[in-house]
Amino acid sequence: MKKRLSIFLSVVFVLMTLTACSGDGADTEPITKTIITYTLKEGVTISDIVTDAANDFGFTMPMNVSEKTLESMFYIPSSAVSEFDGKFTISASSADNFVVVKVIQGKESVIEHGFEQRKQDLLDTFSGYIQQSYDQANNSQLIIRGDYYIFSSLDCDAEMLTTFVDSYFDMKETTVTVESE
């Protein structure tokens, strides 16, 4: 009797489990997601952004970022980007840096790590040395707009820099609906 009851209860349990898992999805609601994409405005190059940043925000003794300095100072191998431009200061008392890269898909973490390391180098350089430059380095920003990564340690506030960067990009919002599982 116990064996039959156990088998009966096991069968009932299995049937209830199957019934609960075999819903037709009628009671699920679709999920709406907004996807934001960024592209450079027509006629704009990353060199335009870098040049304008240097002119608009001021730059102490700027030097152009070369492939060699991209790798040695910013820890970004040239194989991780399809294009780049930037400036860094050669002054020992300034933390000015502004670099724009277009990342190759799959290399995003390499870019982020490189810019994080550059920020740490600046902090180490100015720690206990020049407080204003240390604060400037500490306020470094990484702005990501699609495939474009913009690193800045210029002396400007975050909102102003974001507004400046966004003025070079077209933003497109696309809403998609997907069925929930």
Side-chain angles (χ1 to χ4, degrees), residues 92-164:
S93 61
S94 173
D96 292 344
N97 289 259
F98 190 86
V99 179
V100 181
V101 301
K102 183 174 183 183
V103 66
I104 292 175
Q105 187 174 10
K107 301 292 185 178
E108 295 84 354
S109 64
V110 172
I111 304 302
E112 290 173 15
H113 180 265
F115 285 141
E116 287 170 11
Q117 185 60 49
R118 178 61 180 156
K119 178 179 179 176
Q120 188 58 54
D121 286 353
L122 292 169
L123 291 171
D124 292 346
T125 297
F126 295 111
S127 177
Y129 177 49
I130 300 174
Q131 187 63 43
Q132 180 180 355
S133 294
Y134 178 86
D135 292 342
Q136 182 178 337
N138 196 40
N139 292 327
S140 296
Q141 299 174 64
L142 177 59
I143 299 174
I144 301 171
R145 295 294 179 261
D147 296 339
Y148 296 91
Y149 285 54
I150 300 98
F151 174 79
S152 174
S153 61
L154 296 176
D155 193 16
C156 61
D157 73 18
E159 187 176 329
M160 182 185 299
L161 181 64
T162 300
T163 300
F164 169 82

Side-chain angles (χ1 to χ4, degrees), residues 63-76:
M63 288 290 295
N64 292 329
V65 173
S66 67
E67 187 173 317
K68 185 176 180 177
T69 53
L70 183 67
E71 294 182 5
S72 64
M73 292 179 61
F74 294 90
Y75 307 94
I76 297 173

